[in-house]
Amino acid sequence: MAAKGFQDTPMVAEAVYNYSVFTKTEKWCIISMVSYAAWFSTLSSFIYFPAVHLLSEDLSVSVDKINLTITSYMAVAMIAPTLVGDAADVLGRRPVYMVTLSLYVVSNIAIASSKSYSALLGLRVLQALAISGTFSIAYGVITDVASPAERGSFVSAVSFAITIAPSIGPILGGSLSYAAGWTWIFWFLSIAAGLCLTIMVLFLPETSRRIVGNGSIRPPKHLRLPVPKLMRHWEASDQVVKQKRRMPNPLKSLTILIRKDNAVIIFGCGLLYVVYTCINASLSVLFIDIYNLNQWQAGIIYLPFGLGGMVSTFFSGPLLDTAYRKARVKRGLSTDKVVGDDLDDFPIEKARLSVIWIPLIVTTASIVAFGWTLHYHHHIAIPLSLQFVAGLCMQLDFSVYNTLLVDKNHRTPAAAQASSNIVRCTFAAITISFLQNLIDAISIGWTFTFMGGLCLVVAALFLVDYQVGTRWRQRSIDSDLRIAT
C-alpha cells in the first residue's frame, strides 16, 4: 500500500501532508466522546464527598475509616495514569478505553450492591485504577486528530469536562444521597459510564498515530468500528501496515520528567494544582464556620469557582489558537490548520506561554484577596465573586499548560499527562495533610497569601521555560536521535 503521508510515524518519510483526514465534525464528535470519559476521572471524587457521613452511619464505621477510602482512591489515582498512559500510546486508544470503562462500570455496580466497609475500600481502589487515566488518554487523542494550530480549542473542550465535575459533583452527590440513598451515587455512575462505553464501542475510531497515522491507514480488524464506513478514511483494499511494536512501559511517564523543559513546567503545574486543591478542600469548612451555612448551602458555594472555570473554556481555545497563529506569522511560517507543523523546530513555548502572564497575575491577586476577605469576615458576596475570578483564571492557566505539555511531547502525549498527574497529586496530597494546621497557625489571610506566593513561583518556572525551554527541548531531541542512530 502506498501510505498517505502523516506525522510521527516511523514507516513514512515526512512530507507535506494533512495532519488528520478526519473532518472537523468528526473531530468534534471524537473529542466529545473522550471528554465524556474524562469527566468521570474527576466526578468520581467530588460526587462522593457529600455521602461520607451517610456511609459512616450505614456501614457502622467511623468517619475516619470512610476518609481512608478517599485517601486510598487518591493514592491509586496518582499512579493509575502511568499504567494506562503509555499503554494507550502503544496499543491504541480504543482498546484501552474499552478495558478501563468496563472495569469502571463493574466496580460501580459492585459498590452499589455491597454492604460492607471492606468491600467499599477494595472496590474504591478498583474504581480509581479503572478511571483515573482516562483524562490522560483524552489529551493523547487530541494530539492524534488536532493540528497544533487548532489544538487549543480541543484542549479547552476536555478541560470543560474535567472542570465541571467539582461544581456539580457535590450537588449531584448530595441530591442523590438525600433522595435515594448513597448507593444511587454509584448506580448513577455505572449507568452514565455504561452509556459512555456503549457510545465509544459504536462510534470511537482508533486515532493513535502509531497505528493509523493521520487516519488514512487501515487499522487491525480488532480496532475497527462495528458500523461499516463510519469515520473510515481508508480503502477496503488497503493492507494493514505492519509496524515495530514495543511493550507498554509504565515507567515511560517518569522518564519524561528527566527532560529539563518538561520538569520545569510540570513542577510549576504541580504547585498551581496545590493552590487549586487547597481552595476546594477548605471552601466548605471555612464558609460553614464563618457564615454559619448548613450542609446544603455549603455544597452551593462550590458553584462560583466551577462556573468561572467553565466560562474560561469558551474563550481559552480561541485565545490559544490565535496566539499560535500570530507566532507562526511572525516567523513567516504557514498557519494552515489542516497541515501539521514540525514542533521539534518551532518555539512552541513562546507561542503558548505568551497568553498566560495576565491570567497568572490575576490568579495570584484574586487568591490573596479571597483569603483576606474571609479573614475579616466580609460579606459573603465578595469571596464568592473572587472565587469566580480565581476559577476563571486558574482554568485558563491549566488550559495553556496542558496544551503546551502535549505539544512538547506530541509523540507520547498520554504518558506526558500521566507524569504530570504523579507530580501534581503528590504535591496536593502532601499539602492537604497540613492545610488545616497551617490555617490554625498563621490565619486564613496569611495562608492564602502563601498560596499567592506559590503562584508567583509558578510564574517564575513558566518564565524559565519561556526563555530557555525551546533550547533544552531541542538538545534533548538531538541527544535522543544520536542514541537511536
Side-chain angles (χ1 to χ4, degrees):
M1 183 192 78
K4 302 167 189 176
F6 58 90
Q7 189 182 34
D8 300 336
T9 305
M11 301 84 67
V12 180
E14 291 190 11
V16 176
Y17 58 90
N18 286 347
Y19 186 87
S20 175
V21 295
F22 292 107
T23 66
K24 186 174 182 179
T25 300
E26 289 173 339
K27 289 178 183 178
W28 277 111
C29 288
I30 291 169
I31 299 305
S32 296
M33 285 185 276
V34 300
S35 297
Y36 184 11
W39 180 56
F40 294 106
S41 65
T42 311
L43 181 67
S44 299
S45 292
F46 286 89
I47 199 173
Y48 185 76
F49 295 153
V52 168
H53 286 286
L54 284 176
L55 282 162
S56 174
E57 294 173 359
D58 197 35
L59 300 179
S60 300
V61 295
S62 66
V63 171
D64 285 340
K65 282 196 171 183
I66 299 300
N67 284 337
L68 182 59
T69 67
I70 298 175
T71 304
S72 61
Y73 182 97
M74 292 179 64
V76 176
M78 179 177 66
I79 303 298
T82 66
L83 303 177
V84 302
D86 194 53
D89 286 336
V90 174
L91 303 177
R93 318 300 187 196
R94 186 173 165 81
V96 177
Y97 270 127
M98 301 307 109
V99 172
T100 55
L101 283 171
S102 296
L103 284 174
Y104 183 67
V105 171
V106 169
S107 65
N108 280 299
I109 293 174
I111 293 173
S113 304
S114 67
K115 296 296 181 182
S116 70
Y117 171 74
S118 58
L120 175 66
L121 181 61
L123 290 168
R124 280 283 285 175
V125 169
L126 178 61
Q127 186 191 40
L129 183 65
I131 204 63
S132 300
T134 53
F135 80 92
S136 63
I137 309 174
Y139 287 109
V141 173
I142 291 173
T143 309
D144 293 337
V145 302
S147 69
E150 60 184 344
R151 198 167 286 166
S153 296
F154 293 111
V155 168
S156 295
V158 175
S159 297
F160 176 83
I162 296 173
T163 304
I164 196 175
S167 299
I168 69 171
I171 298 173
L172 188 58
S175 300
L176 288 169
S177 298
Y178 178 79
W182 65 266
T183 57
W184 267 97
I185 290 177
F186 299 99
W187 285 123
F188 168 80
L189 291 175
S190 62
I191 294 169
L195 176 61
C196 181
L197 175 61
T198 303
I199 292 172
M200 287 192 155
V201 168
L202 295 175
F203 304 116
L204 180 69
E206 181 53 58
T207 63
S208 174
R209 299 181 75 82
R210 289 178 176 271
I211 298 171
V212 298
N214 63 356
S216 63
I217 289 181
R218 187 183 188 187
K221 189 173 182 179
H222 70 282
L223 296 180
R224 299 172 200 167
L225 291 177
V227 183
K229 297 185 179 180
L230 182 66
M231 295 198 198
R232 181 173 293 187
H233 296 279
W234 33 268
E235 301 296 332
S237 59
D238 288 347
Q239 299 296 314
V240 176
V241 176
K242 293 183 178 180
Q243 55 180 305
K244 185 178 179 181
R245 290 277 187 174
R246 67 173 176 85
M247 291 296 293
N249 179 13
L251 298 179
K252 180 71 175 179
S253 300
L254 298 179
T255 63
I256 286 172
L257 290 171
I258 296 174
R259 262 178 43 188
K260 289 189 290 186
D261 66 300
N262 278 333
V264 71
I265 64 165
I266 288 175
F267 280 99
C269 176
L271 294 177
L272 191 62
Y273 190 72
V274 163
V275 178
Y276 174 86
T277 305
C278 287
I279 291 175
N280 278 289
S282 62
L283 276 182
S284 61
V285 175
L286 292 175
F287 275 76
I288 288 174
D289 181 53
I290 295 171
Y291 299 105
N292 297 316
L293 304 183
N294 57 38
Q295 289 294 327
W296 181 84
Q297 292 170 325
I300 297 297
I301 56 101
Y302 283 88
L303 278 176
F305 193 75
L307 288 173
M310 286 187 284
V311 169
S312 79
T313 62
F314 290 105
F315 62 84
S316 60
L319 183 66
L320 279 163
D321 292 343
T322 299
Y324 180 85
R325 185 168 60 252
K326 287 181 178 178
R328 300 284 296 180
V329 169
K330 184 178 180 180
R331 291 164 178 81
L333 301 173
S334 170
T335 59
D336 191 346
K337 290 186 177 182
V338 175
V339 176
D341 305 318
D342 186 358
L343 294 180
D344 292 343
D345 297 325
F346 181 70
I348 190 63
E349 291 79 3
K350 293 186 183 298
R352 299 304 189 196
L353 291 175
S354 63
V355 297
I356 204 172
W357 310 120
I358 292 177
L360 259 180
I361 292 171
V362 177
T363 298
T364 304
S366 60
I367 288 170
V368 173
F370 172 77
W372 286 107
T373 56
L374 290 180
H375 182 90
Y376 288 112
H377 298 195
H378 288 303
H379 191 277
I380 191 172
I382 299 175
L384 289 179
S385 299
L386 289 168
Q387 264 185 257
F388 177 86
V389 175
L392 189 153
C393 292
M394 288 189 78
Q395 186 54 52
L396 183 53
D397 299 336
F398 284 128
S399 293
V400 174
Y401 162 78
N402 285 319
T403 307
L404 175 60
L405 184 64
V406 297
D407 283 341
K408 282 174 171 287
N409 302 277
H410 54 95
R411 293 179 180 84
T412 54
Q417 284 292 337
S419 69
S420 177
N421 186 71
I422 293 173
V423 172
R424 68 181 186 176
C425 287
T426 301
F427 282 9
I430 293 172
T431 309
I432 288 297
S433 66
F434 63 81
L435 175 61
Q436 189 58 50
N437 291 334
L438 185 65
I439 292 174
D440 293 340
I442 65 174
S443 79
I444 300 171
W446 284 112
T447 296
F448 282 91
T449 300
F450 170 72
M451 297 298 168
L454 291 182
C455 291
L456 294 179
V457 176
V458 173
L461 290 171
F462 284 167
L463 181 61
V464 170
D465 192 59
Y466 182 85
Q467 295 292 345
V468 298
T470 303
R471 186 163 66 248
W472 284 348
R473 174 168 54 87
Q474 290 174 342
R475 284 178 182 173
S476 297
I477 293 171
D478 291 341
S479 177
D480 291 343
L481 289 174
R482 285 194 298 269
I483 292 172
T485 55

